[in-house]
């Protein structure tokens, strides 16, 4: 009889043990990830910025209609709908008209809107043949571009006003200022509103203490407010300060 | 200074210092290994218990010793520890009984020595890696504590640069540091529980093997009459 060394047989379950160990640690990770999430977020003070000069932001829509009313309606009402009969699968212009028509015909109340519109469409049909679609499209494009540019300019003005207001609120005025001198600063901004480098003074107030105070205020106001319309952002801004402008 | 802190676990770990990160990595590795062995020993001990139960039932049901021995030899790779002890003892017994010159006491002693050798190997195998679990259980809290102490030192050193020291300056650092202790305890607690449980299980199985050896020696002794 042959003598065999009776070795212990290694127990099975290597992979099972490995899988279970991995799953235990995954469970722990998930638990830690979702369980431990302490947030020390104090109640944020509400910041209110009072902007004077352009009462635009809250009253934007009506203002949009009014100044353009003399120029736009005539051009817009006649040519734009012409697209409708010819190119029915272009809903955006139609929507545009509906929105635009309303403010123009401010006087008629709602029920009278429909007949008016039908009449308008008849007129349109008559004039439709006279103008080519290409010309209309071009006209529309230039119009739209002009409107967008105007809007951006307005947004930019509002934004610069907000920046100036914020900085002005941070100016600690030195006592010996005579009159209401004006200073101009050029500030370089990042898209998040933070100031890059030092603000450059392009025109002094003539009072070095006041200049320094304005510069300190600019740094203190960092980051500056962002524009509501991101397209109005500009990297370099010229800001004019009249410290006693309130 | 920005007081708003978002203390998710990822932020805590990623903001920790290098030493704390290394300690965390070490602890995660240790914890993983210890869990691996916890599960393996659990399977192994359960397996050993089931096989011992089965073999004892077969053995005490009064079957023929030769038939039991044959079946143990034939499927040696799927036998349990007790079956191997039986096989070693019975094989030695058959060998020695063939030599007419030996008296029964010597034959039974030889069989018992063979069984004891196999038993010791089996017990050693069952106990293997339990010492690792014991080490993890006793040492990893200290490793975690070291990481915490280091992290807190780090957090306080940051205070030197701040003019007005507030709790907000150190709190994130301390929270970071305490993660090390948490992971250390997570590694240690299961290891200690498993070690105590498995040491107890191994003791009980060993007692069963030893009593089986004694009883089987008696049976072999009776074969001579």
């Amino acid at each position: 009889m042959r003598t065999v060394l009776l070795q212990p047989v290694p127990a099975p379950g290597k992979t099972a043990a490995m899988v279970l160990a991995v799953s235990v640690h995954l469970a722990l990770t998930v638990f830690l990830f979702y369980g431990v999430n302490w947030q020390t977020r104090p109640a944020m003070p509400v910041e209110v910025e009072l902007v004077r000069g352009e009462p635009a932001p809250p009253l934007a829509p009506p203002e949009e209609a009014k100044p353009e009313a003399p120029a736009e309606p005539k051009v817009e009402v006649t040519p734009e709908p012409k697209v409708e009969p010819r190119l029915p699968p272009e809903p955006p212009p139609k929507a545009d008209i509906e929105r635009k028509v309303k403010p123009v015909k401010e006087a008629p109340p709602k029920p009278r809107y429909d007949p008016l519109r039908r009449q308008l469409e008849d007129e349109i049909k008559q004039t439709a043949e006279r103008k080519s679609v290409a010309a209309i499209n071009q006209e529309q494009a230039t119009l739209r571009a002009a409107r967008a540019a105007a809007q951006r300019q307005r947004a930019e003005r509002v934004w610069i006003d907000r920046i100036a207001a914020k900085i002005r609120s941070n100016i600690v005025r030195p006592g010996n200022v005579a009159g209401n001198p004006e200073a101009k600063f050029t500030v370089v901004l990042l898209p998040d509103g933070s100031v890059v480098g030092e603000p450059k003074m392009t025109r002094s107030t003539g009072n070095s203490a006041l200049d320094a105070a304005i510069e300190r205020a600019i740094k203190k106001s960092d980051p500056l407010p962002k524009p509501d319309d991101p397209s109005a952002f500009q990297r370099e801004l010229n800001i004019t300060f009249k410290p006693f402008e309130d | 200074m920005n007081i708003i802190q978002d203390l998710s676990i990822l932020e805590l770990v990623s903001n920790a210092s290098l030493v704390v990160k290394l300690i965390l990595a070490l602890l995660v590795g240790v914890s993983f290994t210890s869990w691996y062995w916890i599960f393996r020993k659990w399977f192994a001990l359960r397996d050993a218990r089931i096989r011992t139960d089965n073999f004892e039932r077969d053995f005490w049901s009064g079957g023929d010793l030769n038939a039991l021995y044959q079946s143990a030899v034939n499927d040696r790779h799927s036998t349990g520890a007790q079956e191997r002890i039986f096989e070693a003892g019975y094989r030695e017994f058959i060998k020695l009984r063939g030599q007419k010159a030996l008296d029964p006491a010597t034959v039974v002693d030889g069989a018992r020595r063979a069984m004891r050798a196999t038993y010791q190997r089996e017990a050693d195998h069952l106990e293997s890696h339990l010492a690792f679990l014991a080490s993890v259980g006793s040492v990893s809290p200290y490793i975690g504590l070291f990481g915490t102490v280091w992290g807190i030192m780090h957090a306080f050193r940051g205070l030197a640069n701040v003019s007005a020291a507030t709790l907000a300056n150190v709190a994130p650092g301390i929270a970071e540091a305490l993660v090390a202790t948490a992971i250390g305890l997570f590694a240690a607690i299961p290891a200690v529980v498993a070690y105590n449980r498995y040491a107890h299980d191994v003791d009980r199985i060993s007692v069963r093997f030893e009593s089986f050896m004694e009883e089987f020696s008696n049976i072999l002794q009776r074969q001579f009459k």
Side-chain angles (χ1 to χ4, degrees):
Chain A
M1 190 184 295
R2 203 162 49 88
T3 308
V4 184
L5 182 64
L6 288 172
Q7 286 287 3
V9 178
K14 262 186 194 175
T15 45
M18 188 73 88
V19 167
L20 281 170
V22 168
S23 51
V24 164
H25 285 85
L26 280 182
L28 172 77
T29 312
V30 168
F31 169 73
L32 284 181
F33 192 72
Y34 288 105
V36 182
N37 207 348
W38 306 302
Q39 300 217 332
T40 55
R41 204 176 282 273
M44 292 296 288
V46 179
E47 200 170 314
V48 178
E49 285 171 28
L50 298 176
V51 181
R52 206 188 49 175
E54 184 110 9
L59 301 169
E63 210 204 32
E64 192 182 318
K66 269 181 196 167
E68 285 163 18
E72 260 183 303
K74 271 184 188 164
V75 198
E76 219 183 315
V77 169
T78 37
E80 256 192 56
K82 270 171 230 149
V83 188
E84 211 183 356
R86 288 222 169 167
L87 306 166
E90 200 184 63
K94 190 187 168 191
D96 209 356
I97 296 158
E98 280 181 356
R99 220 183 305 129
K100 280 282 132 74
V101 164
K102 252 192 221 171
V104 174
K105 317 276 178 189
E106 266 169 354
K110 261 196 174 171
R112 280 177 59 196
Y113 173 69
D114 261 353
L116 250 177
R117 193 180 154 199
R118 212 167 297 134
Q119 195 183 334
L120 214 141
E121 276 172 356
D122 288 346
E123 252 178 85
I124 287 157
K125 267 176 197 164
Q126 286 169 4
T127 48
E129 284 87 23
R130 273 176 254 157
K131 269 201 174 183
S132 75
V133 181
I136 293 159
N137 280 348
Q138 204 179 356
E139 224 170 302
Q140 271 184 336
T142 50
L143 254 174
R144 222 171 278 150
R147 214 180 311 143
Q151 215 164 8
R152 195 165 42 238
Q153 264 182 5
R154 204 173 312 120
E156 196 184 310
R157 244 179 301 140
V158 171
W159 175 44
I160 292 178
D161 274 346
R162 276 171 59 200
I163 291 179
K166 183 172 183 186
I167 294 173
R168 205 177 300 124
S169 71
N170 281 330
I171 295 178
V172 181
R173 290 177 196 109
N176 55 346
V177 182
N180 191 7
E182 191 184 76
K184 278 190 176 164
F185 276 81
T186 305
V187 183
V188 181
L189 291 180
L190 289 183
D192 68 344
S194 50
V195 178
V196 182
E198 298 281 310
K200 262 190 303 232
M201 186 171 64
T202 50
R203 192 206 283 178
S204 167
T205 52
N207 183 335
S208 58
L210 186 55
D211 292 342
I214 295 174
E215 199 172 327
R216 271 198 305 277
I218 294 175
K219 286 178 189 164
K220 199 181 167 195
S221 313
D222 186 10
L224 297 170
K226 282 182 272 187
D228 293 331
D229 176 10
S231 66
F233 177 79
Q234 281 195 341
R235 197 170 152 76
E236 259 191 56
L237 275 183
N238 291 309
I239 310 172
T240 309
F241 292 101
K242 280 189 171 177
F244 293 124
E245 200 188 22
D246 39 54
Chain B
M1 199 201 68
N2 197 6
I3 311 177
I4 298 165
Q5 296 283 347
D6 194 8
L7 295 184
S8 79
I9 195 79
L10 286 182
E11 302 250 332
L12 287 181
V13 172
S14 61
N15 287 336
S17 66
L18 183 68
V19 176
V20 177
K21 274 182 194 162
L22 286 179
I23 286 174
L24 284 179
L26 175 71
L27 284 175
V28 168
V30 163
S31 164
F32 182 81
T33 321
S34 100
W35 272 100
Y36 172 73
W37 281 114
I38 286 171
F39 285 116
R40 280 214 65 189
K41 290 316 272 186
W42 180 33
F43 296 147
L45 287 171
R46 195 183 51 183
D47 191 63
R49 208 168 33 242
I50 291 170
R51 284 176 194 277
T52 306
D53 285 346
N54 288 342
F55 179 71
E56 279 191 342
R57 199 181 53 234
D58 288 349
F59 185 79
W60 294 113
S61 60
D64 181 22
L65 285 183
N66 275 317
L68 268 180
Y69 175 68
Q70 277 311 319
S71 79
V73 169
N74 285 339
D75 40 78
R76 182 172 282 148
H77 295 293
S78 63
T79 52
Q82 202 172 21
E83 207 163 353
R84 284 192 288 275
I85 293 172
F86 162 79
E87 186 191 334
Y90 198 68
R91 185 175 60 198
E92 194 65 23
F93 174 76
I94 294 171
K95 259 194 259 177
L96 292 178
R97 201 170 55 170
Q99 305 167 10
K100 295 288 183 201
L102 295 176
D103 63 351
T106 321
V107 173
V108 172
D109 269 353
R112 184 180 290 187
R113 271 196 300 276
M115 284 195 288
R116 182 151 287 279
T118 309
Y119 157 73
Q120 271 164 356
R121 258 197 301 276
E122 294 292 343
D124 179 60
H125 182 67
L126 280 179
E127 266 173 2
S128 63
H129 299 290
L130 284 190
F132 172 75
L133 289 183
S135 311
V136 170
S138 53
V139 170
S140 64
Y142 294 122
I143 301 177
L145 190 62
F146 173 66
T148 297
V149 169
W150 193 271
I152 290 179
M153 277 160 57
H154 203 72
F156 279 125
R157 210 169 47 208
L159 268 188
N161 306 327
V162 187
S163 54
T166 60
L167 195 58
N169 294 124
V170 279
I174 292 176
E176 257 161 53
L178 288 177
V179 172
T181 303
I183 304 281
L185 289 180
F186 175 77
I189 293 169
V192 170
V193 171
Y195 173 75
N196 287 336
R197 171 76 203 275
Y198 295 163
H200 175 68
D201 283 358
V202 169
D203 276 351
R204 284 186 59 199
I205 291 185
S206 301
V207 167
R208 280 173 79 174
F209 290 168
E210 279 188 63
S211 31
F212 169 77
M213 277 155 52
E214 297 303 319
E215 285 160 344
F216 188 51
S217 302
N218 280 340
I219 291 171
L220 290 180
Q221 187 94 45
R222 281 205 294 275
Q223 298 269 314
F224 284 101
K225 300 197 173 144

